[in-house]
Amino acid sequence: RGETIFRYSAAGADEQRWSGAVEAESIDTALLDVISRIRETSDSERIRFLLQVPTRSMLWALRDEIALLMPGVWIERPRLSDEKLMRQAGAGLREATAAAAQAVPVCVATDGSVRGKFTGYGWLASTGEYGLQGFRHSTKLIGPKVVLVAELRAIGAAVQKLRGRDITVLSDSKLAVAMVKRWMAGDDVLPEGYSAFRVSGKTPGLVRAQRTIHADRARITPVWVKGHRGEPLNEAADALARLASRYALGDNTLDGSEYHRRAQDLAETFAREFNRKRTA
């Protein structure tokens, strides 16, 4: 139906709790459904809803209309004094998500993009979760296998975010899949020329990825897939990686808000298409 499942958790000052899942076309419409559900089940005549959504969300533009359509309801951004409530809602969402995730295997596609001295990577999971990052790289630190490093950084970031779940990792890099399998087997190996030392004392990204993947090895299945064959998750990972490298390079058509808007749109569109195809 072109909809995605969104999980939610809410906490009230009177110790009331709400949690569950809704099907909606976007996060904004999902939040409207959640607000309506809570309003219908609450004994309170007036309810202040605290929402952590981006400034560009349509909910801020429509808040006066929401108040008219749902008398007694108004939405606001959280204040410092609301921190405890927000922590309780966040904890409830993490618990609900973790419980649901344990039973549902996740597919995640990863990819990297290199533009000169700038690297980007991206990943998208079948659940709609995604990540991307772009940065300037130094071959003195990461060696000559820049594309491989980007792909491995993407895989490491995805596994870190999805830890504790059964994950099938889809990558169009045979070298990356082979190295992940070696990490899972306990081999202490890194791409040619990659330095495990940093002057700052920080642990390098691939060393963290290696440790995370080895620790979660029982839950990870790395799979090589052909790239650019129309597989939704793989296409999305490629697009997210390219978006991240463009942004890191300083593309003047991408400010921060546009960058994040495009990333979210890509993730929502391709995750929905992947799940539509899987259901069909």
Side-chain angles (χ1 to χ4, degrees):
R1 294 187 301 170
E3 296 188 341
T4 302
I5 296 176
F6 294 88
R7 297 197 174 276
Y8 68 88
S9 171
D14 54 2
E15 301 301 321
Q16 280 190 286
R17 299 288 184 273
W18 298 266
S19 63
V22 296
E23 285 188 84
E25 294 182 352
S26 69
I27 185 67
D28 288 338
T29 52
L31 283 169
L32 286 174
D33 287 346
V34 171
I35 289 170
S36 178
R37 285 189 184 189
I38 293 175
R39 176 173 173 264
E40 291 172 0
T41 58
S42 173
D43 296 330
S44 302
E45 294 183 1
R46 291 174 58 79
I47 309 176
R48 181 169 66 105
F49 285 90
L50 308 173
L51 305 182
Q52 284 186 316
V53 292
T55 305
R56 65 180 179 276
S57 168
M58 72 172 186
L59 295 178
W60 302 125
L62 298 176
R63 61 177 140 190
D64 291 339
E65 285 84 350
I66 292 170
L68 288 173
L69 291 171
M70 301 184 199
V73 165
W74 77 99
I75 63 173
E76 292 182 355
R77 293 182 175 87
R79 305 169 188 167
L80 187 60
S81 58
D82 299 313
E83 185 178 351
K84 181 180 178 181
L85 273 180
M86 298 307 296
R87 283 202 309 267
Q88 290 173 343
L93 183 59
R94 287 191 295 273
E95 291 170 5
T97 301
Q102 294 296 328
V104 181
V106 180
C107 282
V108 58
T110 61
D111 211 345
S113 169
V114 177
R115 297 173 189 266
K117 295 184 177 180
F118 293 87
T119 291
Y121 67 74
W123 60 270
L124 176 64
S126 53
T127 56
E129 295 162 278
Y130 70 96
L132 71 166
Q133 185 177 351
F135 50 89
R136 187 185 182 97
H137 65 253
S138 166
T139 53
K140 290 182 180 179
L141 292 177
I142 68 172
K145 305 292 187 181
V146 182
V147 175
L148 173 60
V149 170
E151 183 77 35
L152 290 169
R153 286 290 301 271
I155 295 172
V159 170
Q160 176 63 42
K161 179 68 175 182
L162 303 169
R163 287 193 80 170
R165 311 185 214 179
D166 292 327
I167 309 167
T168 297
V169 178
L170 309 177
S171 170
D172 59 11
S173 168
K174 291 182 177 179
L175 291 175
V177 169
M179 185 154 288
V180 166
K181 289 180 177 179
R182 292 187 67 181
W183 288 352
M184 292 168 64
D187 289 351
D188 187 13
V189 62
L190 293 167
E192 175 192 346
Y194 190 94
S195 172
F197 171 76
R198 296 291 183 272
V199 174
S200 64
K202 293 182 178 179
T203 304
L206 284 196
V207 175
R208 293 196 305 271
Q210 180 186 44
R211 293 172 181 172
T212 299
I213 287 168
H214 180 68
D216 258 28
R217 61 191 180 279
R219 290 183 172 273
I220 300 169
T221 304
V223 177
W224 175 76
V225 293
K226 272 194 174 183
H228 309 295
R229 296 294 192 209
E231 198 289 315
L233 295 185
N234 185 258
E235 294 294 335
D238 174 67
L240 288 168
R242 286 187 284 107
L243 178 65
S245 62
R246 279 180 56 199
Y247 186 63
L249 184 61
D251 188 326
N252 58 19
T253 66
L254 283 175
D255 59 16
S257 61
E258 178 66 8
Y259 171 62
H260 292 294
R261 184 194 67 78
R262 290 192 190 184
Q264 184 173 336
D265 286 349
L266 283 168
E268 289 180 355
T269 300
F270 281 100
R272 185 163 56 239
E273 178 63 10
F274 173 82
N275 287 299
R276 183 192 67 79
K277 283 188 172 183
R278 183 165 63 174
T279 301

